[in-house]
Amino acid sequence: MAAVLAVTTIFVVAFFFIATERVDKVKTVLIAAGLMAVLGLIPGEQVFFSPHAGIDWNVIFLLLGMMIIVGVVKQTGLFDYLAIWSAKRSRGNPYRLMVMLMLITAVASPFLDNVTIIMLVAPVTLVVCRRLGISAQPFLIAEVLAANIGGAATLIGDPPNIIIASRAGLSFNDFLVHMAPIVVLVFALFVLFTRVLFRSALRTDPDSVEAVLALRERRAIRDPRLLVRSLIVLAAVVAGFCLHSVVHVAPSVIALVGAGVMVLVSGLDIGDILHEVEWPTLVFFMGLFVMVAGLVHTGVIAAVGAAASTWVGDDYFLAATALVFGSALLGAFVDNIPYTATMAPVVEGIVADAPDPETARSLWWAFALGADFGGNGTAVAASANVVALGIAARAGQRISFWQFTKYGAVVTVFSCVIAWFYVGVRYF
């Protein structure tokens, strides 16, 4: 009991400092993780090796590899080219530009995963907003929200889906049939909702728009030969991501191999490339994973899951309701990847008592929808959120915890209510 009280207190206090930003978030998670280690609240050496109760190195190395790849591509001028192209196609209209960027993000994230697409789209967003003389913050937030919604559509689009598919024995086609329809509906409504949600930010400077429309995007390409090489490597990495379940190679390995090849073909100085890596973001993730490991190791999350299981009893619609909203709520505070990994066995226990396979699967879909859409709940609820905030801060467009969360929480409630109706109508 003392261990549970100690780990919960440390986690809550740390989350308070992350949310209020009174102390740098990287310092906060490192201090909290260190305290848990000193007090014996984490599983010793296993915290470095267990993906369920420790640091998830697949996430860390996927991010590292993609940061290196993006760093090289950035040197070619491709992001400037795409920024000018986007501004011209939208005619400088902020809402049209936001929809265009969200659409690209949402369509690509089911096949690349939401973290990867954010790392590719965010630099373009920063450049186009700078060119148009507008704040990039609302655009980046909208893209992250779109990525987390769109990524829910497929098995490989969001890490929680991979965990759930492995535990439940679900296929890629299962996700397309059961998840894609609700994702398309939620995203379509979200696009309409953004006009209201971000209405105060959808203004632009006419002079800046005219200046951008007069630019020739081809002149933005600084190194055509490097661009060709980079796009070939990037295309191979994307193909690897799409086929990773077929070739049985982890996305993190694909990203690291791609990063190595990118460094070799670029001929750039390795110091300049590594300078583009978001090291504070990687360290923050490691500290956060250790903090969550403390909650797992002391049984806090399992106890919450067991209590929920007892509460719902044999009412499976109530169980589905608890999985949608409960997963969104809890996943918003502990990152939906470790949350899903921890709660999957609990859900499996509930599913085992279901009266028929259809009811059993409906609970898995409710769990997936809650975990995926809950990734928009707070600034630390999903990997894509943390990555986007890190990129924004590095570019001088800092997004605070509450600035993101005030939009993310609204979208989470909005999407989970629709998902709940969908589960109820389709499966019960």
Side-chain angles (χ1 to χ4, degrees), residues 43-377:
E45 292 181 353
Q46 289 303 309
V47 78
F48 294 107
F49 304 107
S50 172
H52 302 305
I55 299 172
D56 191 336
W57 294 108
N58 283 316
V59 173
I60 301 299
F61 286 120
L62 170 65
L63 293 175
L64 175 61
M66 289 308 301
M67 286 175 182
I68 292 173
I69 290 172
V70 170
V72 173
V73 174
K74 184 178 177 182
Q75 306 303 316
T76 67
L78 177 64
F79 296 140
D80 293 271
Y81 173 90
L82 292 174
I84 297 170
W85 181 88
S86 300
K88 284 188 170 183
R89 292 300 173 273
S90 66
R91 304 299 300 173
N93 182 291
Y95 178 66
R96 197 178 301 164
L97 176 63
M98 181 176 282
V99 171
M100 183 186 300
L101 293 172
M102 287 193 303
L103 190 61
I104 292 170
T105 303
V107 170
S109 59
F111 305 100
L112 286 180
D113 86 59
N114 47 18
V115 174
T116 302
I117 192 60
I118 285 299
M119 294 185 66
L120 294 173
V121 175
V124 177
T125 305
L126 289 166
V127 175
V128 69
C129 289
R130 186 177 69 245
R131 295 271 190 176
L132 291 173
I134 56 179
S135 171
Q137 296 164 335
F139 292 85
L140 289 171
I141 293 171
E143 287 162 16
V144 173
L145 300 178
N148 287 331
I149 292 171
T154 68
L155 187 155
I156 61 173
D158 210 357
N161 289 0
I162 299 173
I163 297 168
I164 291 170
S166 176
R167 179 71 67 165
L170 300 170
S171 68
F172 190 92
N173 287 338
D174 288 331
F175 275 85
L176 283 179
V177 170
H178 293 272
M179 295 286 282
I182 183 60
V183 167
V184 171
L185 174 62
V186 169
F187 177 71
L189 294 174
F190 170 64
V191 168
L192 298 175
F193 188 36
T194 52
R195 184 142 208 168
V196 176
L197 198 64
F198 298 104
R199 61 185 180 278
S200 61
L202 297 177
R203 299 189 180 95
T204 190
D205 176 24
D207 293 335
S208 297
V209 172
E210 289 300 321
V212 171
L213 294 179
L215 294 173
R216 296 179 62 182
E217 55 265 43
R218 288 182 178 274
R219 292 182 177 177
I221 302 298
R222 296 189 291 271
D223 192 334
R225 292 183 62 186
L226 177 58
L227 175 62
V228 173
R229 295 173 187 172
S230 299
L231 290 179
I232 292 172
V233 176
L234 182 59
V237 170
V238 170
F241 287 154
C242 294
L243 298 172
H244 80 91
S245 59
V246 177
V247 298
H248 303 294
V249 178
S252 56
V253 175
I254 294 170
L256 284 176
V257 171
V261 174
M262 191 73 90
V263 170
L264 287 175
V265 303
S266 71
L268 298 173
D269 182 81
I270 188 63
D272 294 336
I273 296 173
L274 291 179
H275 181 69
E276 297 295 330
V277 174
E278 301 283 342
W279 296 109
T281 299
L282 297 180
V283 175
F284 176 77
F285 267 120
M286 286 185 260
L288 185 62
F289 280 134
V290 173
M291 287 170 57
V292 174
L295 295 178
V296 175
H297 184 60
T298 55
V300 173
I301 293 180
V304 172
S309 177
T310 302
W311 176 61
V312 300
D314 295 328
D315 188 337
Y316 290 100
F317 180 64
L318 181 60
T321 301
L323 286 171
V324 171
F325 292 106
S327 296
L329 179 63
L330 293 174
F333 292 97
V334 296
D335 187 292
N336 59 5
I337 298 174
Y339 166 78
T340 304
T342 304
M343 289 300 295
V346 177
V347 177
E348 190 173 34
I350 300 173
V351 166
D353 297 326
D356 57 78
E358 186 67 20
T359 301
R361 284 204 166 189
S362 70
L363 297 180
W364 284 117
W365 300 129
F367 181 39
L369 288 167
D372 291 342
F373 290 161
N376 283 330

